[in-house]
Amino acid sequence: MLRLFTALSLPEIAVDALAQLQSGVDGARWIAPDNFHLTLQFIGETDRHGLADIHSALQGASAPSLNLTLSGCGFFGESKPRALWVGAAANPALNHLQAKVVTALGRAGFSGEKRKFVPHVTLAYLSGAAPAAVASFAAGHGLFSFGPFPIAGFHLYQSHLGGEGSHYEILETYYLTRGV
């Protein structure tokens, strides 16, 4: 079975800027910089036949290219923090792209997660991190900003789970139309 999701990759300079934030929180398992991405839609597990259906659906998810700015820092899990992240600045074009991806996948029978779209790049997963330390980290990096930078396409990724954390492999790239 293949574990799949759609996401935006980041340019090397953005990856470098994010990697420099990764320190100072006990209980953080920092994400390898080559795994940084902004998830559009988690799909889940499927077989090779499902992969073909997903690929066909995503080829029809046409949207204009966009500029993305990373902005702010936060965490998921108020009383028991589970992840640190850097957000994306409000961006109607990004929301439009994500909606197109979700609609295309839904029509192909892959509804994925139903959570509200919160565009972000995960910096670390947390285990036993003190809530005050996590909140302090997020506040200390709350003014982080990087960009804008162009996004010309999105990717279908496969997640390979392993003892040292996940590794992500791009299976397909879907180019956006010129529109920026």
Side-chain angles (χ1 to χ4, degrees):
M1 294 295 276
L2 305 168
R3 190 168 193 260
L4 306 174
F5 64 95
T6 59
L8 305 178
S9 61
L10 305 175
E12 192 71 29
I13 193 165
V15 168
D16 291 344
L18 291 171
Q20 291 188 28
L21 301 176
Q22 292 184 300
S23 67
V25 179
D26 290 336
R29 182 171 45 93
W30 300 105
I31 302 298
D34 60 345
N35 278 344
F36 287 153
H37 64 274
L38 189 151
T39 300
L40 296 172
Q41 178 71 12
F42 179 75
I43 299 167
E45 292 191 355
T46 189
D47 59 18
R48 296 245 175 240
H49 298 292
L51 175 62
D53 293 341
I54 289 166
H55 175 61
S56 179
L58 292 175
Q59 285 180 313
S62 177
S65 58
L66 58 106
N67 285 316
L68 183 66
T69 298
L70 299 176
S71 180
C73 186
F75 59 97
F76 295 122
E78 288 297 315
S79 61
K80 188 175 179 185
R82 62 184 186 280
L84 274 171
W85 49 262
V86 165
N91 189 326
L94 175 61
N95 293 337
H96 175 74
L97 170 60
Q98 194 267 345
K100 293 285 247 176
V101 168
V102 168
T103 299
L105 290 169
R107 287 185 181 148
F110 297 91
S111 58
E113 292 182 314
K114 300 291 185 205
R115 293 186 226 181
K116 180 180 183 254
F117 180 54
V118 179
H120 67 279
V121 178
T122 301
L123 294 175
Y125 290 109
L126 306 169
S127 178
V134 173
S136 178
F137 179 93
H141 295 89
L143 296 178
F144 174 83
S145 182
F146 185 86
F149 52 88
I151 298 292
F154 67 96
H155 309 286
L156 176 62
Y157 283 85
Q158 180 178 358
S159 176
H160 300 278
L161 302 178
E164 304 265 328
S166 298
H167 167 71
Y168 307 127
E169 174 188 2
I170 294 174
L171 299 180
E172 295 288 344
T173 298
Y174 305 93
Y175 293 99
L176 301 174
T177 60
R178 293 183 187 261
V180 175

